[in-house]
Amino acid sequence: MADLGLVKTLAGAFGTNEASLTLILGLLAGYPLAYFQRQFLFGKSATLHHVYFTLTGLGILYANFGTDILHHVICVFTNYLLMRTIGPKLLSVQLAFLFNMGYLLAGYHFCASNTYDILWTTPHCVMTLRLIGLVTDHFDGGKDPAEQSADQKKLGLTRTPSLLEVAGHSFHFGGVLVGPQFPMRMYLDMIEGKLTDNSEGKRPACVVPALKRMALGLAYTVVFAILNGYYYDDYMTEPAFFESSWLQKYLFVLIWGKVMLYKYVGCWLLAEGSCILSSLTYNGRDEHGNPLWDSCKNIKLSKFEMVMSFQDVIDSFNINTNKWAAHYVYKRLKFLNNRMLSQLFTLVFLALWHGFHSGYYACFFLELVYVNAEKQAHALLKVSPLVSSAVRHPVARPVLLVALKLVLLAHLGYPLVPFALLKSAKWWQVHKSLYFTGHWPFLIFIAAAPFLKKLLKPRDTNTSKETKSD
């Protein structure tokens, strides 16, 4: 990491570590850089833009990770060579998956510790998906149009991008540290001036939307910094946690889980704001004709804060990564002809992308369990008119909604415990002290769901009459 004396002093004053503060400053640096691009590079040549994004992105990475930026440079150049030498063929995609995931996992193996560290692998996991997506889009663009899906027609590249284009796309300051993911087609559309809210050649009116996201990002970051002093990860490994009652422990995990997610929300909002300011995120207009700047949105704040189901959590959180996984992994597993298997393999890929720690796999396993238990519950409502009408009863409905919200809140932090503590020796003890109440009720329900469907399914009255007459 670069030696920044001032950053070290500020980190001590704010009670945080140098790496975390440098990362936040790197995200904030995107705003003056985007404003400079907007004021002085608008309407200028594409080459100038590519060089600017490459140099500024590398500068941000160097300030955070020093000479370790060579890892990113090596991978960018290697993926460019794959496209240039092999062309838009399946082999290039297979090699891109193997090389990029292999390089990232090697980085985890040699650099990771038993706690969260902000190392060069932090931005490299983002770049890994971006480069795999780039090579895959190159392959999709070379397909016969009749074989392309709607998404592949939208994102596919009909030509091999230049090295400068690949570098500019990979090192764009808005997404170089923590994301969001955005495809090469979107990046090139921005360079060509297509992502704008006017047709008069004026600069896009995106300053206010960008500053709003920045303000929200800073607010969430400050809230996290304050509450994290009380609800921090390591408390769940201290004797005081285990000596408290079951209810006290569950309440702590409940609140801690929400606080823990604010760390990611704050970073994503800050990154999104700089992407908006560079006009990368223009997404057409809404039904009232207002411009939308949300194509790089990684968090739906209102939905995230008011979630009523586990699916709502997934749909509102880490949106761009989920979209990436759906497009480049899940939909490519159609040949399995099994949605559950496709979902399982996608979650295994995402867990592996995070690293080798058992906590990642435990977390994604619980995500799979919760979402499928929820689907089974919805299926039961459709099967039984009696249960469905009871749930919609004006007296029962508000009670049920409150109960569902409590269940959701109670189990929001539970699967995040292994994600945060990483090692099974730590997170297993926490779940054990909670009597695994985030596991067995859902697993039992999933196992019992087929029998409940048969039990609750109304009998065919015509069949009953025919049986009686016989």
Side-chain angles (χ1 to χ4, degrees), residues 180-428:
Q181 295 296 337
F182 50 87
M184 174 64 87
R185 281 283 290 267
M186 185 187 295
Y187 171 78
L188 293 176
D189 284 346
M190 178 198 66
I191 297 296
E192 295 168 9
K194 295 179 181 179
L195 299 183
T196 180
D197 60 343
N198 67 81
S199 56
E200 295 83 25
K202 298 177 183 178
R203 292 180 177 84
C206 54
V207 175
V208 173
L211 293 179
K212 285 181 178 179
R213 296 311 263 186
M214 182 183 75
L216 284 169
L218 288 172
Y220 272 90
T221 302
V222 170
V223 169
F224 168 75
I226 295 171
L227 295 180
N228 190 53
Y230 303 95
Y231 298 94
Y232 53 94
D233 302 351
D234 287 341
Y235 178 73
M236 291 180 289
T237 65
E238 297 175 1
F241 175 81
F242 294 100
E243 291 168 2
S244 57
S245 68
W246 178 88
L247 182 59
Q248 287 174 320
K249 284 182 282 195
Y250 230 113
L251 287 174
F252 176 87
V253 171
L254 186 157
I255 299 171
W256 163 85
K258 192 74 171 180
V259 172
M260 183 259 206
L261 293 180
Y262 282 176
K263 169 176 60 178
Y264 298 98
V265 174
C267 288
W268 290 338
L269 288 169
L270 291 175
E272 183 192 347
S274 64
C275 289
I276 293 173
L277 194 55
S278 68
S279 81
L280 179 65
T281 68
Y282 181 69
N283 197 23
R285 295 179 179 272
D286 62 18
E287 63 273 15
H288 304 294
N290 301 312
L292 296 171
W293 301 97
D294 61 357
S295 62
C296 286
K297 181 183 289 187
N298 218 17
I299 182 79
K300 294 179 181 177
L301 281 179
S302 58
K303 190 170 187 177
F304 172 72
E305 295 294 355
M306 301 298 291
V307 289
M308 290 301 297
S309 68
F310 292 111
Q311 190 61 51
D312 282 349
V313 177
I314 295 171
D315 292 342
S316 64
F317 189 81
N318 207 1
I319 298 167
N320 276 286
T321 301
N322 291 335
K323 284 182 180 178
W324 189 99
H327 178 67
Y328 295 103
V329 182
Y330 179 80
K331 292 180 180 179
R332 316 264 169 174
L333 297 173
K334 271 187 178 180
F335 64 91
L336 295 174
N337 200 29
N338 187 305
R339 288 188 177 184
M340 177 66 79
L341 276 179
S342 297
Q343 188 179 10
L344 176 63
F345 284 133
T346 302
L347 290 175
V348 169
F349 170 80
L350 288 174
L352 185 63
W353 172 64
H354 280 87
F356 296 112
H357 292 297
S358 63
Y360 297 131
Y361 301 87
C363 176
F364 284 107
F365 168 74
L366 284 171
E367 177 186 326
L368 183 68
V369 169
Y370 290 175
V371 170
N372 279 280
E374 197 169 76
K375 287 179 179 178
Q376 294 288 352
H378 285 229
L380 282 177
L381 292 178
K382 293 179 181 178
V383 165
S384 174
L386 180 64
V387 175
S388 183
S389 61
V391 166
R392 289 179 173 82
H393 192 277
V395 176
R397 186 170 178 78
V399 176
L400 182 63
L401 288 175
V402 171
L404 287 173
K405 186 69 175 180
L406 289 174
V407 169
L408 178 64
L409 289 174
H411 296 91
L412 183 63
Y414 187 91
L416 294 175
V417 171
F419 192 91
L421 298 184
L422 301 177
K423 290 292 185 181
S424 59
K426 294 180 178 180
W427 62 260
W428 182 266

